[in-house]
Amino acid sequence: MKYFVLFIIGLLIGTSLYAQDAAPADSSLLHKDTVARNSVQAIKTRMAIIAKEGADDYRSEQVTLRQQALHESIKSANQQARIFLKNGVDTSSIKSALQKAQDALEIVKDGIFTNTGSYQTQRNLAVSAAILTELSNRIAIHKKHLNTYSDKLTYFANKIDSLVIDSAFFYLPTDSEEVVKRMQKIVMTARELKPTDSVLRLAIANVQALQIKVDLLSFEIQARAEDIDIYSKKLSAQALDREFANIWTPPLGHRPFKDILQFSREKEWMMFRFYLEDYLPNLLLWVVLLCACFYFLRSLKAQLKHEGILNADYSNQLIVRNPLLSATLLCLCIFQFIFPNPPFIFSFMVWLGAAICLAFVFRGYITRYWMQFWIMIDILFLLAGLDNMILQASRPGRLFMLGLSVTGVLYTGFILVKGRKQELKEKYILYFISFVFLFELISAVLNTYGRLNLSKTFLISGYMGVVIAIVFLWVVRLINEGLNLISQVFKHPGKDLFYINFNKVGNRMPAIFYVLLVIGWAVLVGRNFYGFRQLSDPFNEYLRQERTLGNYTFSIMGIVVFVLILLCSMFLSQLISAFASEPVGVQQSEEKRKRVNLGSWILLIRIFIISAGLFLAFAAAGIPMDRITIIIGALGVGIGLGLQGLVNNLVSGLILSFEKPVNVGDIIEMNGKIATMKSIGFRSSIITDVDGACIIIPNGELLNHPLVNWTMGKNLKRNILILGVAYGTDLDKTKQLLRDILLQEDRVLNFPPPDVVFREFNQSSIDLEISFWVKHIGEARTLKSDIIMAISRAFANEGIVIPYPQHDLYIRSLPDEVNPQPNNTQTPS
């Protein structure tokens, strides 16, 4: 277009000049000026027309390009909206969840806001508050999803609208044929947009309606939770006030006991189901820990049986009597801390399961009298736990509670007065039996005089306290037994890092374990009291409160978790190292040699455990990961200043673990001494020589100096024996005799075959060399000794002489002149 316009302008100017040149010579000057002005004006007019036409064409082309881009953008937005609508939030499932939440809310109201009865119970309020908290959290998740979904729907709707209302979208060219094409394209785009736009509008309307329902339900849940909190505080403040009439007074009104059991069951089961759904990963982790503990105890039992130190009656070895039950008992007691703030029904099932496992573990070990006591306590604990899950007061419930508490008082009182205390394995149990007696007596008195809530708290606390205490005492006892058994089986744990000497454990656990036991017991029992929660919540808040030091924010709980995770990772690392360490001794069975090959991976496993523990500790404590770079930088400065040797040994340890020139359990030779690789540590490794000495060698020395690895050659060794026979011996007979001796020995390999070679004529004998291969280097010395003895016997029987070293000595008599006679002349006296 640009070149066409220039061509037209040039043509016009040329035409004008030609007209001027063609004018007659005799024309007047005026006529020439007139012609020139008219020509210039015509050119200007024509140029203006051409410029306008060019500008119109340019605008038309730009609008056309813009229109095409709009069509593509609309098509893309339409496609994205369809995909989003197809894969968006399932509103039907949210509606179903809201309906379930509404039904759960109606169940929560029962006994508190409807069918209230004569007085509230603390248990009902506690369970209902926990359910409302769970419902609130779930509603908040749905609300967040709906808000995100609504925002995305609105975004797509606004994006399509903004594209459609663009003026360029409705531009039509002047050409009628192009107008028809543009209109067809606009109509087609509108047809494509219409279904999506309708679905978008409908989805937005549905989501907004759902959001209103969610907001209303969330508000109602929050309001009910606040009311329950007020009721709980009021009950706590009036804990000692009379709630009901005395037990012998007829009730004024009552709700059918069957209805109370029904709504109590629904609430407790709902709470239990919610808790398991929320902490399903924790439950899976607990199962993994249980499997690991069971596998270890089973392996320990097999090892004790293999070593011949497993007692038939399992005295002082109860932990391996039934590995599955012992593992379940230990995991229920030790690893329950991975379940934060468990509801009562969950804790009740945990301790009941632990009590049942313990009954089977020490069955037959304790006397029948105390076994009956434990079964009776378990039955009373079961009944008290079931009663504690009845969430509304009733006359049958009060009578049942009174029967349980009186039974506990009479039975424990009889045990304290007439019990066979001398048969007890753990004397501390008597203190907790007294605890049950006291608490059940208090419960009976409170229940009789109408203090139901406090009475129920003392009732369940008494039985739960004695069960937890006895389980804890026996768990400590079982752990102590396990450590003692470990010290017997793994007598030589690795001492290269974080050494744990199991032999120092002794027959009793340190006093600190019993202190921790009492603290843990007090916390578990105190959870039953609402006042304990009022004290513990501010304390937990204090521990979790964020504090600022410079640019770093931390909490006391984070620091405690940081230290605990590090200690646990270090302990687990050392425990694995101790269990995988190589026993002293060169000779090993083939099964043990195969098992110990895992030891070459122990260093990597320990590095992984400690590294994972370190990063988990940083994450749990809330320390930003970029702080680790500061530590690494400081280490880099330290390395540059003088830690080259340490780093060399650390890197050498990694090379040993990956490249595996030597593995744990390999028989090696260093500086002419045979030794067994015991362990490979971070900085150094331990080898055990044939004299039983443990030698610590830096990892760098293993790589920088020649090292003979006999195990790499399948522990085969070639033995050389040199001896001599007297001159005149039948050499063929001697050679055949020696070969027969070697072939008859089972410990000598047939391939490579043994060989007998005559080497040379010596001064007093004909020397020969006997070579043979041993199956295992550990048998080399013994086999060589046996072959020497066999050769000596065979030579003696066949009359073959092994000569002594001989030298001929010739003595010559010298002449008299060389050796003059002495002068016999006597001197006169």
Side-chain angles (χ1 to χ4, degrees), residues 105-121:
L105 181 59
E106 295 302 320
I107 295 175
V108 169
K109 292 179 181 179
D110 194 0
I112 301 177
F113 304 101
T114 60
N115 301 318
T116 56
S118 57
Y119 209 81
Q120 299 287 356
T121 62

Side-chain angles (χ1 to χ4, degrees), residues 306-482:
H306 178 73
E307 298 287 342
I309 56 179
L310 184 64
N311 300 329
D313 59 350
Y314 295 99
S315 59
N316 297 322
Q317 297 176 347
L318 287 178
I319 192 171
V320 295
R321 180 182 184 180
N322 192 316
L324 180 59
L325 291 178
S326 297
T328 305
L329 175 62
L330 294 176
C331 290
L332 285 175
C333 295
I334 298 176
F335 298 118
Q336 62 168 301
F337 65 86
I338 65 177
F339 298 99
N341 300 322
F344 172 78
I345 184 173
F346 185 85
S347 300
F348 171 68
M349 295 179 69
V350 166
W351 292 115
L352 183 62
I356 295 173
C357 291
L358 181 59
F360 284 98
V361 168
F362 59 39
R363 180 174 57 88
Y365 180 72
I366 63 175
T367 62
R368 183 178 181 181
Y369 179 85
W370 288 106
M371 187 67 187
Q372 292 174 350
F373 164 79
W374 180 243
I375 294 175
M376 183 65 179
I377 288 295
D378 289 346
I379 294 174
L380 292 174
F381 173 59
L382 172 63
L383 296 176
L386 294 176
D387 178 80
N388 198 46
M389 287 186 283
I390 299 176
L391 303 181
Q392 197 170 28
S394 65
R395 175 52 64 92
R398 290 185 64 185
L399 294 175
F400 184 67
M401 287 175 54
L402 183 62
L404 286 177
S405 57
V406 170
T407 302
V409 170
L410 296 177
Y411 185 68
T412 55
F414 174 78
I415 293 294
L416 291 173
V417 176
K418 299 291 186 179
R420 302 174 185 176
K421 305 178 183 63
Q422 68 279 3
E423 297 177 0
L424 271 177
K425 301 293 183 180
E426 290 286 350
K427 302 301 182 182
Y428 293 111
I429 293 177
L430 292 174
Y431 295 104
F432 296 104
I433 296 176
S434 303
F435 169 83
V436 178
F437 175 83
L438 178 62
F439 268 49
E440 298 311 316
L441 180 61
I442 295 174
S443 174
V445 173
L446 291 174
N447 187 16
T448 302
Y449 291 99
R451 278 73 174 176
L452 180 66
N453 284 302
L454 201 55
S455 173
K456 179 172 286 192
T457 301
F458 275 95
L459 173 69
I460 188 62
S461 298
Y463 289 123
M464 178 178 281
V466 70
V467 168
I468 293 175
I470 295 176
V471 169
F472 269 0
L473 287 172
W474 274 93
V475 165
V476 172
R477 185 187 184 96
L478 293 176
I479 292 175
N480 191 38
E481 286 184 358

Side-chain angles (χ1 to χ4, degrees), residues 78 81-82 85 153 157 160-161 190-206:
N78 184 37
R82 286 183 177 182
L85 289 170
L153 290 175
I160 293 175
D161 291 343
R191 287 178 178 177
E192 292 178 355
L193 281 178
K194 184 176 180 180
T196 305
D197 184 69
S198 300
V199 174
L200 273 176
R201 304 300 175 186
L202 180 61
I204 292 174
N206 291 335

Side-chain angles (χ1 to χ4, degrees), residues 711-731:
T711 303
M712 190 175 291
K714 299 182 179 179
N715 291 321
L716 302 179
K717 188 179 188 305
R718 182 180 179 227
N719 268 8
I720 302 293
L721 183 61
I722 299 176
L723 57 85
V725 295
Y727 283 96
T729 303
D730 188 345
L731 299 183

